[in-house]
């Protein structure tokens, strides 16, 4: 029996407009789009430039500089008296791109650095100036003539001079304390000044006992020896110190020690005597003053003619400055002990 409905003819996919799309969808990997050909140079219109580079970037466009800026730059280079080639370089710099300017600045900074290094290398090593050495000599004398000093040898006197130099600076370079090589020269100068003063003082004591014949084994007669005023005057000669009772008392102690220990241990024995006096006084300043007054009186009665008067207990301003530094150092040492 035949059907009354007509059968539907089979669908032909080839007639579907999306058949090619469906075919592409059925593939395992996508197909790369076709590469577009570059437009040939011949297709460019007349007057049209091809600025495309192989990397896709465009060539830099020259900078435009304001005429006022250029004129101002020219006047400034003339005011600073630049060389002709330097003026040309400045003019070129105005038209450089930002990146080129940065490179030029870096290069020129390196050039300056190289020049500075040459100057530093060629500079002679630092040395204490004559003025600084003169100041050190003055303070070395004041330290050794101070009635406050506790030892004549060792690091104590040197440290006092260094402390004074740090306070006044004089012509010390800034930050020299942090340069061990240069600062050691300052310390060495202070030590040398103290050594010279100690040597001079000892020779003056010998002279005071044998004013007419230093090579004599025996000391001169009492009347021919220098009295304490004359001897102390020689001690302060060429310094900023003055003759007064405290200084004379210290000089008298030195002469007293020399009579018993004239050899190489002279200054060591002087320091030992200072320690003994302080220890016996137990920190009582009045007892220390009485001890030195006794030493001074004994010297006046034993050496030279007493044709002078020592009634000045006043210490001059320069010596007082040194005494204050010594007192401050002693206070610091006591507080940290």
């Amino acid at each position: 029996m035949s059907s009354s409905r007509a059968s539907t003819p089979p669908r032909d996919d080839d007639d579907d407009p999306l058949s090619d799309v469906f075919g592409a969808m059925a593939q395992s990997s996508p197909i790369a789009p076709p590469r577009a050909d570059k437009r040939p140079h011949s297709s460019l219109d007349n007057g049209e430039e091809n600025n495309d580079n192989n990397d896709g970037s465009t060539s830099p466009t020259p900078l435009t500089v304001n005429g006022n800026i250029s004129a101002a730059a020219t006047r400034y280079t003339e005011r600073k008296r630049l060389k002709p080639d330097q003026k040309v370089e400045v003019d070129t710099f105005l038209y450089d791109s930002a990146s080129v300017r940065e490179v030029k600045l870096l290069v020129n900074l390196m050039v300056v650095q190289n020049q500075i290094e040459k100057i530093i290398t060629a500079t002679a090593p630092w040395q204490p100036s004559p003025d600084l050495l003169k100041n050190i000599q003055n303070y070395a004398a004041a330290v050794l003539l101070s009635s406050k000093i506790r030892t004549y040898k060792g690091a104590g006197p040197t440290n006092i001079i260094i402390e004074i130099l740090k306070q006044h600076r004089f012509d010390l370079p800034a930050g020299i304390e942090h340069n061990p090589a240069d600062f050691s020269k300052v310390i060495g100068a202070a030590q040398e000044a103290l050594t010279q003063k100690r040597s001079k003082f000892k020779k003056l004591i010998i002279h005071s006992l044998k004013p007419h014949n230093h090579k004599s084994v025996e000391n001169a007669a009492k009347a021919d020896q220098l009295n304490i005023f004359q001897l102390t005057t020689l001690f302060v000669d060429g310094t900023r110190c003055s003759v007064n009772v405290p200084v004379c008392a210290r000089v008298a102690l030195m002469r007293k020690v020399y009579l018993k220990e004239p050899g190489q241990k002279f200054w060591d024995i002087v320091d030992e005597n200072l320690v003994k006096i302080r220890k016996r006084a137990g920190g009582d300043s009045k007892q220390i003053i009485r001890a030195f007054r006794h030493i001074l009186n004994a010297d006046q009665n034993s050496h030279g003619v007493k044709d002078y008067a020592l009634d000045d207990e006043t210490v001059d301003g320069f010596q007082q400055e040194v005494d204050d530094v010594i007192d401050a150092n002693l206070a610091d040492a006591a507080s940290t002990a």
Side-chain angles (χ1 to χ4, degrees):
M1 180 177 174
S2 63
S3 173
S4 61
R5 295 179 60 183
S7 61
T8 303
R11 183 175 179 178
D12 188 358
D13 289 340
D14 293 338
D15 295 335
D16 194 321
L18 295 178
S19 61
D20 58 334
V21 177
F22 296 152
M25 293 171 62
Q27 295 182 7
S28 59
S29 60
I31 300 176
R35 181 178 178 181
D37 294 335
K38 286 187 176 181
R39 183 174 53 171
H41 290 285
S42 59
S43 65
L44 295 176
D45 295 334
N46 292 335
E48 183 180 358
E49 296 180 358
N50 180 16
N51 291 329
D52 293 338
N53 296 325
N54 292 335
D55 58 357
S57 62
T58 59
S59 59
T61 303
L63 296 178
T64 302
V65 179
N66 185 286
N68 293 333
I69 296 178
S70 179
T74 300
R75 290 193 299 270
Y76 194 68
T77 57
E78 292 175 352
R79 186 188 309 169
K80 294 300 180 180
R81 299 180 180 179
L82 295 186
K83 299 177 182 178
D85 58 320
Q86 292 174 327
K87 294 180 180 179
V88 173
E89 189 171 351
V90 171
D91 187 62
T92 303
F93 186 83
L94 293 174
Y95 292 89
D96 287 334
S97 63
S99 58
V100 174
R101 289 178 180 177
E102 291 176 355
V103 171
K104 286 186 175 181
L105 289 174
L106 176 61
V107 170
N108 280 281
L109 284 175
M110 290 180 174
V111 171
V112 173
Q113 181 181 6
N114 292 339
Q115 294 297 328
I116 293 175
E117 290 176 353
K118 289 181 180 179
I119 294 174
I120 294 176
T121 303
T123 302
W126 180 85
Q127 294 293 338
S129 68
D131 288 342
L132 177 60
L133 294 176
K134 179 63 176 178
N135 286 319
I136 291 176
Q137 289 285 346
N138 286 333
Y139 281 105
V143 167
L144 293 179
L145 292 174
S146 172
S147 62
K148 303 287 186 176
I149 192 172
R150 294 200 164 196
T151 59
Y152 290 97
K153 293 182 65 177
T158 302
N159 292 339
I160 295 169
I161 295 177
I162 296 302
E163 183 63 29
I164 294 172
L165 294 179
K166 288 181 178 179
Q167 292 180 9
H168 291 287
R169 302 306 302 180
F170 298 114
D171 59 354
L172 284 176
I176 190 174
E177 298 91 329
H178 308 296
N179 186 332
D182 287 345
F183 199 57
S184 64
K185 299 176 183 178
V186 180
I187 297 175
Q191 293 172 337
E192 178 63 21
L194 291 168
T195 299
Q196 292 178 2
K197 290 299 180 184
R198 285 194 297 265
S199 176
K200 178 183 177 181
F201 290 170
K202 187 176 180 181
K203 291 178 181 178
L204 289 175
I205 293 173
I206 298 174
H207 172 72
S208 72
L209 298 172
K210 308 170 185 180
H212 304 298
N213 186 3
H214 295 172
K215 296 182 180 180
S216 174
V217 178
E218 299 294 333
N219 294 332
K222 173 182 177 297
D224 293 332
Q225 296 178 13
L226 300 184
N227 59 43
I228 193 62
F229 180 82
Q230 293 170 323
L231 177 55
T232 306
T233 300
L234 294 177
F235 267 56
V236 302
D237 183 46
T239 72
R240 295 177 59 184
C241 303
S242 59
V243 178
N244 53 54
V245 171
V247 175
C248 288
R250 285 295 180 120
V251 175
L253 172 64
M254 296 177 195
R255 182 151 61 177
K256 173 181 174 65
V257 171
Y258 180 82
L259 291 172
K260 293 184 177 181
E261 183 56 57
Q264 295 182 351
K265 294 183 178 181
F266 166 70
W267 288 107
D268 295 318
I269 302 301
V270 173
D271 286 347
E272 289 179 7
N273 276 260
L274 291 177
V275 172
K276 291 178 180 179
I277 292 173
R278 288 196 305 272
K279 185 176 181 180
R280 186 62 178 268
D284 188 344
S285 60
K286 292 182 179 180
Q287 290 191 36
I288 295 176
I289 293 174
R290 284 197 293 267
F292 278 101
R293 172 65 70 175
H294 175 79
I295 294 172
L296 178 58
N297 289 336
D299 186 277
Q300 290 176 307
N301 295 328
S302 302
H303 306 284
V305 179
K306 191 176 180 181
D307 55 358
Y308 56 91
L310 292 177
D311 56 357
D312 185 9
E313 294 280 353
T314 304
V315 177
D316 62 87
F318 181 73
Q319 187 67 63
Q320 187 62 54
E321 174 194 347
V322 175
D323 291 352
D324 291 342
V325 174
I326 296 175
D327 285 338
N329 281 6
L330 292 176
D332 291 342
S335 63
T336 57

